[in-house]
């Protein structure tokens, strides 16, 4: 008989990982809303007072929002 070990990661609301996922998901949703063929590979990194979005996006959609200057602008 084979045995398996199941593991999972869970973080609570407000945890930096959850916030980073929400930012990345919002970028993906915004691109796909305007361009169903858009391709998004982005990661969001954050810490107190700093947000970095890294990766690549291929799309015909236009960015209509100026980038925020600080994390407080999000």
């Amino acid at each position: 008989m084979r045995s398996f070990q199941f593991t999972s990661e869970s973080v609570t609301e407000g945890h930096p990982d959850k916030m980073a996922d929400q930012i990345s998901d919002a970028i993906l949703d915004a691109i796909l809303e305007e361009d169903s063929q858009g391709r998004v590979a982005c990661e969001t990194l954050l810490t107190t007072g700093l947000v970095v979005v890294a990766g690549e996006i291929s799309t015909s959609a236009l960015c209509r929002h100026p980038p925020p200057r600080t994390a407080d602008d999000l």
Side-chain angles (χ1 to χ4, degrees), residues 11-34:
V11 295
T12 59
E13 185 177 333
H15 187 281
D17 286 349
K18 287 257 193 216
M19 294 171 60
D21 287 346
Q22 288 178 340
I23 293 168
S24 295
D25 289 348
I27 292 168
L28 173 62
D29 291 344
I31 295 296
L32 293 180
E33 185 175 306
E34 291 194 32

Side-chain angles (χ1 to χ4, degrees), residues 32-47:
L32 293 180
E33 185 175 306
E34 291 194 32
D35 178 9
S36 64
Q37 299 299 311
R39 301 174 83 186
V40 178
C42 73
E43 289 289 330
T44 303
L45 317 158
L46 57 94
T47 188

Side-chain angles (χ1 to χ4, degrees), residues 60-71:
S60 61
L62 298 175
C63 178
R64 298 179 183 179
H65 305 284
R69 291 291 182 211
T70 68

